[in-house]
Amino acid sequence: QYQSARPKFAFLYGAVEARVQLPAGAGLLPAVWMLPTSTSSRPEIDILELYGQEPDVKRMHLHWQGADGEPQQRGEYTDGVDLTQGWHTVGVRWEPGAVIWYRDGEEQWRVERDEVPSEPMYLVLNLAIGGDQIGPPGDDVVFPAEMRVDWVRVWQRADR
């Protein structure tokens, strides 16, 4: 479990955006993601994951539990823009049967399938350091490392 207390803000469907400035360096993993209020690890919407050693590769994932109970995931990686340079706006539009990922106002990826979450979720913005997924911090990392957040916005349609 990710936490022991019920999240204080959760929503079902809508749009999420965050304007962030991300750190570079091996072993840093800034992320913007969503988890269900049940605090289970499935489903999960990864709006942005960035490996600090690959600052021009934006990772986006959708995780869910399959009918057989096994964890499933789909992912997409986009590259070409160094996300550690300047401020960037990342987000998703989440609706029944669809999740659409955006970066700086441009659509990056979409999933339109049954595995799209249909339960309330909360939003997490964090900076992880090291771990099995990305390895230890590199010599190029300057501490204290930080992920800067200018603003976070969540919208919902009035008829929801």
Side-chain angles (χ1 to χ4, degrees):
Q1 281 188 320
Y2 290 98
Q3 66 182 39
S4 59
R6 182 183 161 108
K8 299 195 182 332
F9 172 77
F11 60 100
L12 177 62
Y13 306 129
V16 176
E17 285 187 337
R19 185 170 183 255
V20 295
Q21 190 174 52
L22 306 173
L28 299 180
L29 176 56
V32 180
W33 52 305
M34 297 166 56
L35 283 173
T37 56
S38 65
T39 67
S40 66
S41 63
R42 298 287 185 268
E44 178 180 318
I45 299 173
D46 296 326
I47 298 170
L48 161 75
E49 290 182 325
L50 185 79
Y51 293 5
Q53 60 266 36
E54 299 175 342
D56 64 338
V57 179
K58 178 185 179 203
R59 290 168 165 78
M60 302 161 283
H61 295 97
L62 177 62
H63 303 269
W64 72 96
Q65 188 169 344
D68 60 1
E70 290 298 312
Q72 306 290 317
Q73 78 170 19
R74 296 182 69 201
E76 180 71 22
Y77 307 139
T78 60
D79 59 9
V81 174
D82 184 344
L83 294 174
T84 65
Q85 299 299 307
W87 289 89
H88 296 278
T89 302
V90 297
V92 294
R93 193 173 79 225
W94 173 36
E95 50 196 52
V99 180
I100 305 161
W101 282 255
Y102 294 91
R103 184 198 73 234
D104 297 325
E106 294 182 21
E107 183 176 327
Q108 301 291 297
W109 185 47
R110 69 173 50 217
V111 172
E112 297 175 308
R113 301 187 62 157
D114 292 339
E115 60 264 15
V116 169
S118 60
E119 62 183 284
M121 300 183 87
Y122 63 97
L123 184 62
V124 179
L125 289 82
N126 71 291
L127 173 59
I129 311 283
D132 293 339
Q133 192 173 4
I134 58 169
D139 294 336
D140 62 333
V141 175
V142 177
F143 287 103
E146 64 181 8
M147 172 179 161
R148 298 179 69 198
V149 179
D150 185 27
W151 48 258
V152 175
R153 297 179 181 144
V154 178
W155 296 271
Q156 288 186 292
R157 290 176 32 173
D159 62 348
R160 295 261 183 242

